[in-house]
Amino acid sequence: MPPQRFREQFRQIQRSMPGVPLAMGPDDAGEFLYEKGVVLAREGEEAQIVEDTVRGHFRTLAAGAPDRVRRLGPAGNRSGVVRIQVSDPGEGDAGGDPAVAGALRALAAVEGRAGRRMITRNHVVHIAVNACPGDEPVPVARDARPNPAVAETDGEPGEDAARVLVVDTGLMHDYRSYPPLARTDGDAQVAECDDDGILQQYCGHGTFIAGLVAAVAPHTDITVSGALNDAGAVLEHEFGEKLFDAVEAGGWPDVLSVSAGTSNGRTDGLLGVDAFMRELRERRTLLVACAGNNGSATPFWPAAYADLPGYEDAVLSVGALRADGESGACFSNHGGWVKAYAPGERLTSALTGFETPVPYVYQHSTYDACRYGFDYACTCHHPRHMGMLSEDGASAKPDQVMFEGLAQWSGTSFATPVAAGMVVSHMAACGERDPRAARRRLLEAVDEFVDVRGAHKPALLPPTWRPVRVPAPTARP
């Protein structure tokens, strides 16, 4: 992920999480964000081992440091983890946290003997356009059609319609003005606009996703959980709890669509969602999760659970195809843990402004060329706009646009609901009640494949999706 954009996003997320000091990791490399001065451990005996080991480690380094080691907050949550403070979060800057790194090193030998991980950073889990955006939404003409277009179906959905739960930001207040979402239910988006009436960044993300599911699979019971309403970012220890809350509010769904996650520099998952993932494995629910937009092969969780033993049928990890469908989008994560790709660049779906047009000010400036080195007209540099958070924003006025219903947006965030819609559409067409069996048979029946960075991967292409071919942009004057 290019450092400029990552740092812009860091400032944005930090503002959305007041009172939570954050650091970039590992060591200012810009791979993930985490809570300063705090680690996670499983509650119970392991938490005590972590406390004692870290306290002993710091006792050999600095007087007074062991006294800072203490548990934070109540235990007994369903995620099964506790936060342990290992240093003063106010010390140092955002370029890493030596105390947390030291605590991780102190437990390395103990973990080796135990044969399992016992300690981790408390990562920031974010919607997949957040700390690593594909792009920001782009207005479309008032008479534009959604892409994928809404599939034609006969009659009304029956009581046996598949249930899709989207865990994301909430629904915009006027979402029912978009006919495909008339039957969708869920949480409302919190604080859509700022005090000046400007649409806030990432608002409409959950509505856009729900619109894509409804387009690909109209006969679907869609519910949107606003668990990620705080600018689409939560701490890892909260994420597992929010997932439990979301699935238990209306019962475990057929398909759980999650366009959020984080990398953590490891290949064995997230400690904060371990309890949820083990519960998921025992259910019939299929988790469809985004691969992330870092342009990296580093595992992005929870999507990368698709590559762990025991989760092969329970998780479908989805990368994004470029607008013309010829390969992976420049921003899409990739690697063996990404099991399928779906259209995810320049999709058109519902955003907001159906009742009254809503202004939006761009936060990030586009680049002069693809930031990942691709040579097609990707969203890194087309269409051009100037953003207020960018380094050159101080000398140039950021661009403002108006949204009037539909918008165009890019990211693995949006490839994910397309894939989820294809799974439930397959269920409806084949009379299949098991979403995991539908996933398996859908992938077995795929006759379209794409080469993504040397790997031959299945492409999930909805029949109503139209490739978008964009001419090469002219250089910025």
Side-chain angles (χ1 to χ4, degrees):
M1 181 64 192
Q4 174 188 337
R5 184 63 61 88
F6 189 86
R7 286 178 172 80
E8 291 169 10
Q9 285 298 330
F10 175 84
R11 296 194 296 270
Q12 190 81 341
I13 292 175
Q14 183 69 86
R15 281 194 292 270
S16 77
M17 304 176 74
V20 182
L22 300 178
M24 302 179 196
D27 301 325
D28 200 25
E31 181 179 321
F32 50 75
L33 307 177
Y34 63 97
E35 184 181 16
K36 285 183 66 179
V38 172
V39 296
L40 296 184
R42 294 181 183 85
E43 62 181 340
E45 181 180 351
E46 286 195 11
Q48 190 60 56
I49 292 173
V50 170
E51 277 191 80
D52 293 344
T53 303
V54 172
R55 190 174 286 115
H57 170 75
F58 286 135
R59 186 174 290 116
T60 65
L61 299 178
D67 297 334
R68 301 175 182 174
V69 179
R70 59 189 180 90
R71 296 193 194 188
L72 302 173
N77 59 64
R78 288 165 296 178
S79 294
V81 294
V82 294
R83 293 165 65 232
I84 300 175
Q85 179 177 303
V86 298
S87 67
D88 181 356
E91 293 181 351
D93 58 23
D97 189 333
V100 168
L104 298 178
R105 288 194 298 271
L107 265 293
V110 179
E111 290 178 322
R113 291 193 295 270
R116 64 184 296 184
R117 178 175 40 155
M118 301 174 68
I119 184 175
T120 179
R121 294 176 173 91
N122 194 15
H123 301 87
V124 175
V125 178
H126 48 79
I127 58 179
V129 297
N130 206 321
C132 46
D135 72 346
E136 293 174 81
V138 177
V140 295
R142 290 181 64 91
D143 60 352
R145 296 179 60 204
N147 187 21
V150 179
E152 294 184 5
T153 56
D154 296 325
E156 293 295 322
E159 294 182 359
D160 61 347
R163 295 188 303 120
V164 174
L165 173 61
V166 174
V167 176
D168 209 87
T169 63
L171 291 161
M172 303 299 281
H173 76 280
D174 55 357
Y175 77 95
R176 289 190 190 275
S177 298
Y178 182 56
L181 292 180
R183 295 179 52 257
T184 298
D185 292 309
D187 300 330
Q189 170 70 49
V190 174
E192 296 180 8
C193 298
D194 63 18
D195 293 341
D196 296 321
I198 305 296
L199 184 68
Q200 301 207 75
Q201 194 172 16
Y202 313 122
C203 284
H205 191 261
T207 302
F208 196 95
I209 285 171
L212 290 169
V213 177
V216 178
H219 281 188
T220 304
D221 182 357
I222 304 170
T223 303
V224 177
S225 165
L228 303 179
N229 254 329
D230 295 333
V234 296
L235 289 170
E236 180 180 331
H237 79 282
E238 301 173 301
F239 186 52
E241 197 73 9
K242 286 178 178 288
L243 288 174
F244 273 120
D245 288 342
V247 298
E248 292 174 358
W252 285 75
D254 294 298
V255 174
L256 175 60
S257 179
V258 176
S259 292
T262 182
S263 58
N264 65 351
R266 298 184 62 101
T267 59
D268 55 356
L270 293 175
L271 194 61
V273 300
D274 180 63
F276 178 82
M277 294 303 298
R278 284 187 282 108
E279 177 73 13
L280 171 80
R281 190 170 54 191
E282 303 307 314
R283 301 278 180 167
R284 62 186 295 277
T285 296
L286 172 68
L287 170 62
V288 183
C290 68
N293 304 329
N294 295 335
S296 168
T298 300
F300 190 81
W301 308 98
Y305 277 92
D307 213 35
L308 295 187
Y311 292 97
E312 300 91 339
D313 286 340
V315 182
L316 175 59
S317 51
V318 186
L321 293 175
R322 53 191 265 183
D324 59 13
E326 293 183 2
S327 186
C330 68
F331 52 78
S332 181
N333 284 348
H334 50 92
W337 55 274
V338 182
K339 300 306 177 182
Y341 287 77
E345 189 175 55
R346 294 192 172 93
L347 301 185
T348 302
S349 182
L351 187 68
T352 189
F354 294 98
E355 298 173 351
T356 304
V358 180
Y360 177 74
V361 175
Y362 280 104
Q363 304 297 299
H364 308 286
S365 296
T366 48
Y367 293 75
D368 291 328
C370 175
R371 60 191 188 269
Y372 300 103
F374 283 66
D375 59 3
Y376 75 102
C378 64
T379 56
C380 292
H381 57 121
H382 183 74
R384 302 288 195 192
H385 50 252
M386 186 70 68
M388 65 184 302
L389 294 178
S390 298
E391 295 172 356
D392 52 4
S395 58
K397 183 178 179 180
D399 292 324
Q400 179 173 309
V401 294
M402 299 293 292
F403 288 109
E404 302 179 83
L406 300 183
Q408 194 176 83
W409 214 345
S410 303
T412 59
S413 275
F414 312 123
T416 298
V418 170
M422 291 196 68
V423 170
V424 296
S425 180
H426 184 84
M427 292 174 67
C430 301
E432 176 63 68
R433 300 306 305 159
D434 182 349
R436 298 184 182 182
R439 167 209 179 275
R440 185 168 56 252
R441 290 169 183 162
L442 176 65
L443 292 180
E444 289 172 350
V446 164
D447 56 9
E448 295 281 352
F449 291 83
V450 291
D451 290 319
V452 180
R453 303 185 188 240
H456 200 54
K457 294 288 185 173
L460 301 177
L461 305 178
T464 61
W465 171 71
R466 306 180 308 278
V468 178
R469 301 189 184 280
V470 181
T474 57
R476 177 181 289 160

